Amino acid sequence: MARSALLNIMVNAALKAGKGLIRDFGEVENLQVSRKGPADFVSVADKRAEKIVMDELMKARPTYSLLMEEGGEVKGTDGMHRWIIDPLDGTTNFLHAIPLFCTAIALERNGEIVASVIYNPVMDELYTAEKGNGAWHNNRRLRVASRRHLAEAVVSTGIKLTGKSTDAIALRQVASVTPAVAGVRRSGSISVDLAWLAAGRFDALWEDRLAPWDVAPGLLMVKEAGGFASDYSGGADMVDKGEIVAGNEALHAALLKTIQSVR
């Protein structure tokens, strides 16, 4: 596949951060047996990966803005472009030496996501997408799964119980969806979930209480793989609202109806 110069910049940044995360992941595995545990180390690894990505992107496009999970927002002079960065999506997996996490980067132009990269370094799986140029896993074109009925679908979600009133709604959603589908999965990385949805490994997905860097990279991936996505009201405000329902046309509609029925 042919990549634009901008997408190559993003890929190089993600690959470089991935090398560091692989090295640090080996250290976390060793720290599992220590009394102190790996929590502090993971925080350092997260910030180190973010600095690698930020440095690579700023070196190539110094006028662009950045929005980062750890470092917050850095305003650029460009006025049109913004990088949205999650250096380590799946931090809890990383913390427990579970090899399922990724670096995720999106490029926003005038408020629209136009390019994205999701890199899982343990599996060496590189997912890329550009507006109008499709979604790709390494060099293979991606298409969402073609199943039409929820009863046949494996559906992904992420359940965040925070002690708030919204916890009860989240649990009712799971209780409503679970008997209607073939299976519900929780990987611990929303960016991996969205990439796997684009690749047809998952059939549909729903999740809320997300940050912009959780949604933006995978959202474009799903759309460019022929998928449909919306917020819980059926609108297009997934990044700002921090909620998403996604799948092929039929499963998106069916899952959205199910989620909307839960009060």
Side-chain angles (χ1 to χ4, degrees):
M1 60 162 291
R3 296 181 187 139
S4 70
L6 280 170
L7 188 57
N8 275 325
I9 291 166
M10 298 166 71
V11 166
N12 290 338
L15 293 177
K16 190 169 182 179
K19 289 180 181 179
L21 287 174
I22 287 291
R23 180 192 62 242
D24 290 339
F25 185 66
E27 294 299 318
V28 169
E29 290 182 301
N30 294 333
L31 286 169
Q32 290 294 324
V33 299
S34 73
R35 183 182 301 176
K36 182 179 179 182
D40 291 341
F41 183 83
V42 169
S43 177
V44 171
D46 204 333
K47 292 176 181 177
R48 184 156 47 214
E50 184 173 88
K51 187 175 187 307
I52 289 170
V53 173
M54 182 181 69
D55 287 349
E56 289 296 305
L57 297 179
M58 290 193 71
K59 180 172 63 177
R61 295 292 188 275
T63 63
Y64 287 13
S65 299
L66 301 99
L67 179 63
M68 302 171 286
E69 181 178 15
E70 301 297 333
E73 189 160 15
V74 177
K75 289 288 188 181
T77 59
D78 174 85
M80 292 174 54
H81 296 90
R82 181 171 69 160
W83 305 110
I84 302 175
I85 303 164
D86 192 342
L88 176 54
D89 183 44
T91 303
T92 301
N93 286 347
F94 192 97
L95 176 69
H96 289 272
I98 298 170
L100 186 61
F101 53 88
C102 67
T103 295
I105 309 169
L107 176 61
E108 185 182 73
R109 178 180 296 136
N110 293 326
E112 180 182 17
I113 306 302
V114 296
S116 66
V117 171
I118 295 171
Y119 180 53
N120 180 338
V122 174
M123 297 181 180
D124 194 25
E125 292 192 336
L126 177 67
Y127 296 89
T128 60
E130 286 189 275
K131 183 184 176 184
N133 197 36
W136 301 79
H137 169 211
N138 295 335
N139 290 314
R140 182 175 64 87
R141 185 75 178 262
L142 298 182
R143 296 296 296 178
V144 293
S146 59
R147 295 178 184 88
R148 309 294 293 175
H149 305 289
L150 281 179
E152 303 170 341
V154 172
V155 179
S156 172
T157 191
I159 304 303
K160 302 179 179 69
L161 300 182
T162 58
K164 298 180 180 178
S165 60
T166 48
D167 289 354
I169 296 175
L171 292 173
R172 287 198 293 272
Q173 288 173 351
V174 174
S176 182
V177 172
T178 299
V181 301
V184 175
R185 301 289 184 266
R186 187 185 191 284
S187 77
S189 169
I190 179 62
S191 289
V192 169
D193 288 351
L194 287 164
W196 285 6
L197 176 60
R201 294 178 180 175
F202 291 141
D203 297 294
L205 171 151
W206 93 97
E207 191 163 344
D208 62 6
R209 289 181 272 185
L210 298 167
W213 45 80
D214 294 320
V215 181
L219 176 59
L220 181 66
M221 209 79 61
V222 169
K223 288 182 176 180
E224 287 294 320
F228 288 72
S230 72
D231 57 38
Y232 284 7
S233 67
D237 202 13
M238 292 80 76
V239 175
D240 288 337
K241 283 188 176 181
E243 58 190 33
I244 186 170
V245 180
N248 64 32
E249 185 175 14
L251 291 182
H252 168 259
L255 183 57
L256 178 62
K257 183 177 180 180
T258 303
I259 295 301
Q260 289 178 335
S261 71
V262 177
R263 295 290 183 267

